[in-house]
Amino acid sequence: MASSQVVKVLIVDDDNITRRIYRTMLFRFCFEITEVEDGNNAIQQFLDGNEYDLVLMDKHMPNMDGVEATRTLRGMGIPVKIVAITDDANSKDTFLGAGADKFLLKPLTFPMLTDILKSFNFLN
Amino acid sequence: MDVSMLQRTYSDLLTSLFREGILNQQFTELQQLQDENNPGFVFEVVSLFFEDSGRLINELISNFNQQAVDYKKIDAYVHQLKGSSASIGAEKIRSVCQTFREYYDKNDIQGCYNCIQPLNQEFVTFKSKLEALFTLEQQIVAAGGSIPMMRH
């Protein structure tokens, strides 16, 4: 886990409505939340020395898509939990092959998110 | 109109939106995220959708009216619209976007073009009905009532 006790989540999605919804869901758990709009900015977060426990990663984004961002993070040796969340059902194998830990189809619901957080032991 | 009448009108309108396929279960998910910490959450998210999607649809129509149509750009717009409509439960809008993408994947340009007017119409209908729903919410709250929840 990241060095503080609070779970730190990075939301990576180019749609501000999706980010707003994820933020509201995660707020219920009092997690620390950061949002970026594309894979490039996600990578930059880690290059800037930020630590996260969980990344919610969209696929189709400008500048760098979620698969490439996932692959890049793993190539950098970043062990963060990455959950791919996309409406592209055909990208599951690609995402998992790039190093994502889980793959979910959009739209994300609160029960889906809760199950994922439990599976990673982020809920006490 | 008294509170109970307003609440009945609200429930009837919301039920009809689900019955007509304008909304799907994802909208109920959003309503369940609204609480005392986020009292205007649904209104805020749907308002964002109105703003973003209105702009995207205008860009789509504008692009299709140009001599050299940039289909890649149009597909990107529709992809974005599909994603955000799915996120808020705007089922009919999402469905038209899905149809558009199926035509696009088959390089059926006429099929793509034929989706634009229905897409715009579904958006106009959605906006009008959700605005009516929010107006009723405001009236219920102003009259001291609570917003009925849709149960599936």
Side-chain angles (χ1 to χ4, degrees):
Chain A
M1 198 174 278
S3 51
S4 85
Q5 298 249 328
V6 175
V7 175
K8 294 184 175 182
V9 183
L10 179 64
I11 300 171
V12 188
D13 199 301
D14 60 334
D15 180 39
N16 64 344
I17 293 168
T18 300
R19 294 197 307 270
R20 178 70 179 90
I21 293 170
Y22 292 179
R23 173 177 279 275
T24 300
M25 290 183 186
L26 291 164
F27 184 76
R28 289 199 166 182
F29 302 107
C30 300
F31 291 172
E32 191 175 305
I33 302 155
T34 304
E35 301 174 28
V36 293
E37 295 181 8
D38 61 43
N40 261 340
N41 283 312
I43 303 302
Q44 193 59 49
Q45 284 289 316
F46 289 92
L47 288 173
D48 288 346
N50 296 300
E51 290 183 345
Y52 296 96
D53 301 293
L54 175 66
V55 176
L56 302 184
M57 186 77 81
D58 184 23
K59 181 174 186 283
H60 294 287
M61 294 179 286
N63 303 320
M64 183 189 288
D65 75 14
V67 172
E68 192 180 341
T70 299
R71 194 172 288 123
T72 304
L73 287 173
R74 294 306 188 218
M76 289 162 62
I78 306 288
V80 67
K81 299 292 185 197
I82 298 175
V83 178
I85 310 176
T86 173
D87 62 356
D88 184 353
N90 294 326
S91 66
K92 181 176 180 180
D93 289 343
T94 310
F95 246 124
L96 295 177
D101 296 282
K102 303 269 186 188
F103 179 91
L104 297 176
L105 281 177
K106 282 183 172 178
L108 182 71
T109 65
F110 190 70
M112 286 164 68
L113 177 65
T114 308
D115 284 346
I116 285 289
L117 295 175
K118 280 180 186 169
S119 75
F120 291 143
N121 292 321
F122 287 144
L123 302 181
N124 294 322
Chain B
M1 212 183 274
D2 70 5
V3 172
S4 57
M5 180 73 88
L6 285 169
Q7 288 170 327
R8 259 198 308 281
T9 306
Y10 177 91
S11 292
D12 288 346
L13 176 56
L14 191 56
T15 301
S16 74
L17 291 174
F18 282 95
R19 190 176 54 241
E20 291 167 30
I22 292 172
L23 292 177
N24 65 24
Q25 172 65 20
Q26 185 64 13
F27 187 80
T28 306
E29 294 284 337
L30 294 191
Q31 289 182 307
Q32 289 171 349
L33 286 175
Q34 183 160 294
D35 57 21
E36 58 276 5
N37 293 316
N38 261 300
F41 172 66
V42 178
F43 178 79
E44 183 191 328
V45 169
V46 174
S47 297
L48 266 175
F49 177 77
F50 288 162
E51 198 180 306
D52 286 358
S53 302
R55 177 182 50 80
L56 280 171
I57 290 173
N58 284 339
E59 291 280 351
L60 271 173
I61 293 170
S62 168
N63 265 275
F64 258 112
N65 287 335
Q66 286 173 8
Q67 268 194 320
V69 180
D70 186 342
Y71 285 101
K72 203 168 176 184
K73 193 182 271 189
I74 285 172
D75 182 57
Y77 290 148
V78 173
H79 173 79
Q80 198 174 333
L81 192 50
K82 180 174 168 253
S84 53
S85 60
S87 291
I88 67 161
E91 174 58 25
K92 283 200 174 179
I93 296 174
R94 185 209 63 79
S95 179
V96 177
C97 291
Q98 177 65 32
T99 302
F100 175 97
R101 301 210 80 218
E102 286 165 6
Y103 281 125
Y104 181 83
D105 287 343
K106 288 188 285 192
N107 287 319
D108 185 338
I109 301 307
Q110 186 61 47
C112 289
Y113 182 77
N114 291 343
C115 288
I116 299 304
Q117 197 274 336
L119 183 59
N120 189 46
Q121 186 55 54
E122 291 299 345
F123 174 74
V124 167
T125 301
F126 179 84
K127 188 165 187 279
S128 162
K129 301 228 174 192
L130 269 289
E131 282 174 341
L133 196 72
F134 291 137
T135 299
L136 277 168
E137 278 189 6
Q138 286 167 3
Q139 289 171 339
I140 290 169
V141 169
S146 59
I147 312 299
M149 277 289 284
M150 178 87 182
R151 297 192 192 281
H152 289 276

